[in-house]
Amino acid sequence: MELYELPLIEVAEKIRTKEVSPVEVTQSALARLEAVEPTLTAFVTVTPELALEQAKLAEKEIGGGNYRGPLHGIPLGVKDLYDTAGVKTTSSSAQRADYVPDADSASVAKLYDAGMVLIGKTHTHEFAYGATTPTTGNPWAPERTPGGSSGGSGAAVASGVVHVALGSDTGGSIRIPAALCGTVGLKPTFGRASRVGVASLSWSLDHVGPLSRNVIDSALVMAAMSGFDRRDPGTANVPVPDMVTGIDAGVAGKKIGIPVNYYTDRVAPEAAEAARTAAAEFEALGAELVEVEIPMAEHIVPTEWAIMMPEATAYHLDYLRNSPDKYTDEVRVLLETGAAQPATDYVNALRLRTLIQAAWKDMFSSIDVLLAPTVVAPATLRSDPFVRWADGSVEAATAAYVRLSAPANVTGLPSLSVPAGFNADGLPLGVQILGKPFAEPEILQLGYALEQSTDVVGKIAPVLAEVA
């Protein structure tokens, strides 16, 4: 078995005991990248020289007795929204085709401190403004979308190039590609981790977090990148918990909310079945299932878009005025639409968000977590980015995929997407576990229990088919 095929914790133990070197692990990752990248186009920029340099440094440090922990010497993919000193950060857009930052983003700097090795920068839907990442193929079916906007990160993890890749999540952009690519994806609580040095889509909805092959990988990386940062006024000055210790404590006695509305509306049968199967598994493990009604359901998606669109336009205003032709038509139109939105709509959306957050707090008073499908349907075709419903109607992929992930962004609650199975065509499906504020250890604990009781988490896509 190749090193890239092994779970992260097994690779980490081999590195710690010097059975293998970080250089060997990095070479395995680069070889896998070379094999699958022509099919997937997951990366904007590949950094083999830097990766080997960092791996050699890690090998020297470990050989000298300076082992930093289980992330030391582990390859990493980074969404191309995150600044990386000396390495292009394009946001997959012509607007920043030549942008090379002088400093690392806060998250990248922390993961470098943990000893991780940068393999390259992964594609995003342009400036994270979409949920399909048109540049990139899904490792399970390259003619289909990997989701977005962190589609390159999802494809890089699912294809085995890296164990972990960074994403961002404003309306579901970590969890959507996690579900569609068959990986784990963690959107933390709003304020858990700094967004300094990450291109913004919507500052009051943006979150940063990992996509990974296994739940414990996300726990390790999320803990490393978390913490208060006075440079980001959105971060919360709360302690960073140990997200790994106790992850195997089980789910006995946990009250799991099962929604009877919203997450059940206009959802493909196989996506709904994946959630029911996961709920039954949790019940078999000793959890209690509690039916709940999602409050203010009709206001969630309108509130998401009414906040996101003007905030995105405000961030892009100079580009929009001076070089609008450098955007794709899709993103330019969205930004122009945001510019036309009345300020009163934005203010009312902010007020609605406060009411939604209060209503969800009340709902969570009777449950520990909420379990729901991550996406409404499996991956759509890249050439036809629409969800086609049995009644003959169609729904644009971005709008469809965001529907079930947006609540965690509007409320700011943590949400973990975990692989839950495959449909008849072999396409991944995911379920998400939403928790109370700063309860990442709890949702990771439930995700780990589901992972250990099924055989769908941690699989690597074969990437056999070429794009038609």
Side-chain angles (χ1 to χ4, degrees), residues 293-326:
E293 183 170 350
I294 302 301
M296 303 188 70
E298 70 275 18
H299 298 296
I300 293 170
V301 169
T303 298
E304 165 80 20
W305 285 96
I307 294 173
M308 180 170 64
M309 294 186 77
E311 288 188 353
T313 301
Y315 179 82
H316 285 267
L317 202 54
D318 286 344
Y319 284 147
L320 191 59
R321 287 171 173 167
N322 299 319
S323 52
D325 55 305
K326 290 186 178 181

Side-chain angles (χ1 to χ4, degrees), residues 3-4 21-34 51-52 55-56 75 119:
L3 287 171
Y4 77 82
S21 76
V23 173
E24 292 174 295
V25 175
T26 298
Q27 288 171 333
S28 180
L30 290 171
R32 179 61 174 169
L33 185 152
E34 186 176 357
L52 289 170
K56 289 175 183 176
I119 294 295

Side-chain angles (χ1 to χ4, degrees), residues 11-229:
V11 176
E13 182 62 13
K14 289 179 181 294
I15 289 174
R16 186 189 70 82
T17 60
K18 305 182 183 66
E19 181 180 341
V20 300
S21 76
V23 173
E24 292 174 295
V25 175
T26 298
Q27 288 171 333
S28 180
L30 290 171
R32 179 61 174 169
L33 185 152
E34 186 176 357
V36 303
E37 183 62 5
T39 299
L40 299 181
T41 322
F43 287 83
V44 184
T45 303
V46 181
T47 55
E49 296 86 1
L50 174 61
L52 289 170
E53 178 184 324
Q54 291 176 328
K56 289 175 183 176
L57 176 60
E59 182 178 36
K60 181 178 179 181
E61 290 175 339
I62 294 166
N66 182 23
Y67 178 64
R68 303 188 191 186
L71 298 179
H72 203 171
I74 299 294
L76 172 71
V78 173
K79 185 176 183 177
D80 208 33
L81 296 182
Y82 288 75
D83 283 354
T84 42
V87 179
K88 278 187 179 182
T89 301
T90 72
S91 300
S92 292
S93 176
Q95 292 285 6
R96 289 186 174 173
D98 300 315
Y99 172 55
V100 180
D102 295 326
D104 294 314
S105 60
S107 293
V108 169
K110 286 188 173 186
L111 295 180
Y112 281 171
D113 286 344
M116 297 197 81
V117 172
L118 179 67
I119 294 295
K121 306 296 290 295
T122 57
H123 266 298
T124 172
H125 202 120
E126 185 181 23
F127 278 108
Y129 215 163
T132 59
T133 318
T135 50
T136 304
N138 189 308
W140 296 96
E143 73 280 5
R144 293 184 178 270
T145 179
S149 62
S150 310
S153 290
V157 172
S159 62
V161 175
V162 290
H163 290 86
V164 177
L166 296 185
S168 63
D169 194 310
T170 305
S173 290
I174 288 172
R175 291 159 292 148
I176 293 167
L180 298 184
C181 291
T183 79
V184 175
L186 175 59
K187 183 204 80 67
T189 308
F190 185 81
R192 170 63 81 188
S194 174
R195 300 159 303 171
V196 167
V198 182
S200 177
L201 175 56
S202 174
W203 77 269
S204 71
L205 296 169
D206 291 340
H207 303 67
V208 292
L211 294 91
S212 65
R213 202 177 301 166
N214 297 292
V215 173
I216 199 166
D217 306 353
S218 279
L220 288 166
V221 172
M222 194 70 247
M225 61 191 289
S226 293
F228 175 70
D229 185 346

Side-chain angles (χ1 to χ4, degrees), residues 266 387-395:
R266 209 163 168 78
V387 175
R388 299 188 176 277
W389 297 105
D391 62 5
S393 63
V394 298
E395 188 175 4

Side-chain angles (χ1 to χ4, degrees), residues 165-406:
L166 296 185
S168 63
D169 194 310
T170 305
S173 290
I174 288 172
R175 291 159 292 148
I176 293 167
L180 298 184
C181 291
T183 79
V184 175
L186 175 59
K187 183 204 80 67
T189 308
F190 185 81
R192 170 63 81 188
S194 174
R195 300 159 303 171
V196 167
V198 182
S200 177
L201 175 56
S202 174
W203 77 269
S204 71
L205 296 169
D206 291 340
H207 303 67
V208 292
L211 294 91
S212 65
R213 202 177 301 166
N214 297 292
V215 173
I216 199 166
D217 306 353
S218 279
L220 288 166
V221 172
M222 194 70 247
M225 61 191 289
S226 293
F228 175 70
D229 185 346
R230 65 179 65 256
R231 299 170 299 169
D232 178 358
T235 54
N237 195 1
V238 297
V240 177
D242 180 344
M243 298 187 190
V244 176
T245 302
I247 200 170
D248 59 353
V251 301
K254 294 290 185 183
K255 292 185 177 181
I256 299 180
I258 305 298
V260 298
N261 65 324
Y262 190 81
Y263 291 100
T264 59
D265 301 335
R266 209 163 168 78
V267 174
E270 59 262 53
E273 180 59 26
R276 284 193 293 269
T277 300
E281 189 63 39
F282 279 131
E283 188 172 36
L285 293 172
E288 178 185 352
L289 305 185
V290 180
E291 288 190 348
V292 295
E293 183 170 350
I294 302 301
M296 303 188 70
E298 70 275 18
H299 298 296
I300 293 170
V301 169
T303 298
E304 165 80 20
W305 285 96
I307 294 173
M308 180 170 64
M309 294 186 77
E311 288 188 353
T313 301
Y315 179 82
H316 285 267
L317 202 54
D318 286 344
Y319 284 147
L320 191 59
R321 287 171 173 167
N322 299 319
S323 52
D325 55 305
K326 290 186 178 181
Y327 290 111
T328 60
D329 290 343
E330 174 195 20
V331 169
R332 179 180 49 77
V333 168
L334 286 168
L335 292 171
E336 289 171 346
T337 303
Q341 181 175 316
T344 50
D345 287 357
Y346 176 66
V347 171
N348 284 331
L350 295 178
R351 296 172 67 190
L352 264 174
R353 177 168 62 182
T354 301
L355 296 175
I356 292 168
Q357 289 170 337
W360 275 60
K361 183 178 180 181
D362 288 344
M363 179 186 70
F364 266 92
S365 65
S366 62
I367 58 175
D368 295 305
V369 300
L370 184 74
L371 176 69
T374 306
V375 290
V376 298
T380 62
L381 291 168
R382 294 166 69 185
S383 60
D384 184 32
F386 294 89
V387 175
R388 299 188 176 277
W389 297 105
D391 62 5
S393 63
V394 298
E395 188 175 4
T398 289
Y401 289 141
V402 165
R403 270 200 284 124
L404 302 191
S405 52

